[in-house]
Amino acid sequence: MATQNADVRIAFTFSWMIENCGMLLTPKGFESPVFKIDSLENTQWNLAIMDLNEDTFLYFIRRENDTGPDKIEIFFELQFLSTVRSNLSKVHYRKSFAKRDILKFKASMDIFSSKSAQYLENDTLTLRCRIWKLETEALQRNLCFARTRLGLERKTIFWKIEEFSTLPIRQDVMYRIESNVEGVPPLLLALYIAKTKELETVWIKILENNEKKFLRVNCEFSVLDVGGKKHFTRKFTHLSTAYDRYMPFFRLEELNDHRTILLPNDALTVRGEFEIGSGTIWNKIEHYVQSPSTEIELDSEI
């Protein structure tokens, strides 16, 4: 039940900082560390974020399977902090949570746009959660700070395919992009020519990653001429290595019209630019802060 007013006292504030979050490019979404609130009957909680589609993402609060009561009624506030004072990203809610209960909220992807840069200082997004228990004595104000670091790499490649004019139909030319992050699998690419009726088209595919950890990718491909100028530029976003992804690049007849500058010595040069998201690589509570017992108004700032 959403509400704006309640007889509440401060109990707990959880501040979650997410680094490398200038864009929401994660394979499966991501979660905060679990935090325990002793003053709320030893209940445990966490937050999470995941994209829903190109325009919307979800963020939610979840109660863990803790040792507290079967149900507990709380009032909570979730807010994405910005460098300007604003209540546009704030939600208030009153709810009785059973163990493993989840409550989800929708938000616009605009928060990651250049127009909303106030939410992404140094590419870091901060989600604050404040939780109160209803009808209780004034509680000690507890603060908890947590940090999640997302794996996000930017790569540029120059892919030279020699003897391009002799490349058989449907034969893959492979390219492997290694990660600089420990434990992150490589990104595997293949270029090939497909023929349908009389039309021959060059395609690029991102190969399925058979490892447990898959990737999320934004990419741009271009053919470079002898002067380094881009041609046939194609952009693709939010691709996953959970399965093979096929991307049409250009028609072969377009290349043949400019063979002198685009295919010198029968060599095709493809420039690829990538943003590669690999999910959470660091996720820890940094510290707790306890202060003397005090009351706080709902809309005041901590």
Side-chain angles (χ1 to χ4, degrees), residues 4-20:
Q4 293 293 326
N5 297 292
D7 181 17
V8 296
R9 305 286 178 92
I10 191 80
F12 194 89
T13 298
F14 179 71
S15 185
W16 181 29
M17 292 170 286
I18 306 120
E19 296 180 346
N20 290 336

Side-chain angles (χ1 to χ4, degrees), residues 16-21 26 30-31 146-152 278-284 286:
W16 181 29
M17 292 170 286
I18 306 120
E19 296 180 346
N20 290 336
C21 202
T26 60
F30 49 94
E31 300 181 1
R147 186 181 304 272
T148 296
R149 183 174 300 127
L150 303 179
L152 180 63
S278 54
T280 302
I281 60 174
W282 173 273
N283 196 40
K284 288 188 177 182
E286 295 198 329

Side-chain angles (χ1 to χ4, degrees), residues 184-201:
V184 174
L187 181 66
L188 303 177
L189 308 174
L191 180 145
Y192 66 95
I193 300 172
K195 185 174 181 179
T196 55
K197 296 184 179 179
E198 299 302 317
L199 184 65
E200 293 181 331
T201 306

